[in-house]
């Protein structure tokens, strides 16, 4: 998909909120320009997430808000922006939430994303098998597969 988007001159943003907590996601393999995920789906506090962006795109973008540590120098007629990532961090950061997000990422990495994915796959197969035994239950959607 990235190749088609880039060939057409478009940028590609991946909404990885559903995948990042469940499997390894590699922005290099996806060749996405941006990727976003929410923290609460990764065992982090609510109200925090993250944005990945290719450095050259982030450097070319102006900040959308002002204030805080995102300004490098202030002159009478203009300001210069701080280096990434501070350029986009206007105001007081969500410090407690950021610490919680870091702990959640560490937790998932320590578990191993392949183990998380394998466990969820086996759990889905087990659930599908047990629910299929009930004639009163209709299962919508395909049977679970290991390659999902």
């Amino acid at each position: 998909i990235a190749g088609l988007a880039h060939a057409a001159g478009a940028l590609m943003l991946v909404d990885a909120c559903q995948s990042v907590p469940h499997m390894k996601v590699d922005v290099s393999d996806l060749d996405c320009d941006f990727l976003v995920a929410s923290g609460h789906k990764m065992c982090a506090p609510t109200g925090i997430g993250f944005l990945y962006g290719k450095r050259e795109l982030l450097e070319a973008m102006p900040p959308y808000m002002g204030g805080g540590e995102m300004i490098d120098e202030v002159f009478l007629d203009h300001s210069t922006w701080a280096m990434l990532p501070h350029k986009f961090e206007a105001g007081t950061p969500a410090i407690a939430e950021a610490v919680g997000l870091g702990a959640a990422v560490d937790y998932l990495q320590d578990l191993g994303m392949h183990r998380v994915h394998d466990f969820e796959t086996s759990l889905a197969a087990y659930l599908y098998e047990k629910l299929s035994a009930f004639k009163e239950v209709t299962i919508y959607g395909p049977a679970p597969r290991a390659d999902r």
Side-chain angles (χ1 to χ4, degrees):
I1 294 174
L4 294 171
H6 295 146
L11 298 176
M12 186 175 92
L13 179 138
V14 174
D15 177 349
C17 293
Q18 304 303 326
S19 58
V20 167
H22 303 283
M23 63 181 59
K24 180 181 176 187
V25 175
D26 186 329
V27 294
S28 297
D29 288 345
L30 295 173
D31 192 25
C32 59
D33 299 299
F34 300 96
L35 181 136
V36 295
S38 55
H40 72 279
K41 294 185 180 187
M42 300 171 61
C43 307
T46 59
I48 192 159
F50 65 87
L51 164 70
Y52 159 82
K54 288 183 176 174
R55 179 173 291 280
E56 63 272 12
L57 295 173
L58 292 174
E59 287 175 347
M61 293 170 59
Y64 71 97
M65 293 178 66
E69 293 185 34
M70 50 83 62
I71 296 175
D72 184 37
E73 294 183 296
V74 177
F75 300 90
L76 289 176
D77 59 342
H78 72 283
S79 298
T80 60
W81 311 130
M83 301 296 288
L84 296 173
H86 303 289
K87 175 180 173 179
F88 295 106
E89 296 179 358
T92 303
I95 298 165
E97 291 85 350
V99 170
L101 177 60
V105 169
D106 289 345
Y107 171 73
L108 290 172
Q109 286 182 333
D110 288 347
L111 281 176
M113 294 313 297
H114 66 283
R115 289 180 57 212
V116 172
H117 184 261
D118 291 350
F119 177 75
E120 289 180 358
T121 300
S122 65
L123 185 62
Y126 176 79
L127 178 63
Y128 189 88
E129 174 191 340
K130 296 301 180 185
L131 287 176
S132 297
F134 293 97
K135 64 179 182 214
E136 304 86 4
V137 174
T138 302
I139 299 174
Y140 295 96
R145 297 186 335 240
D147 62 346
R148 281 199 179 152

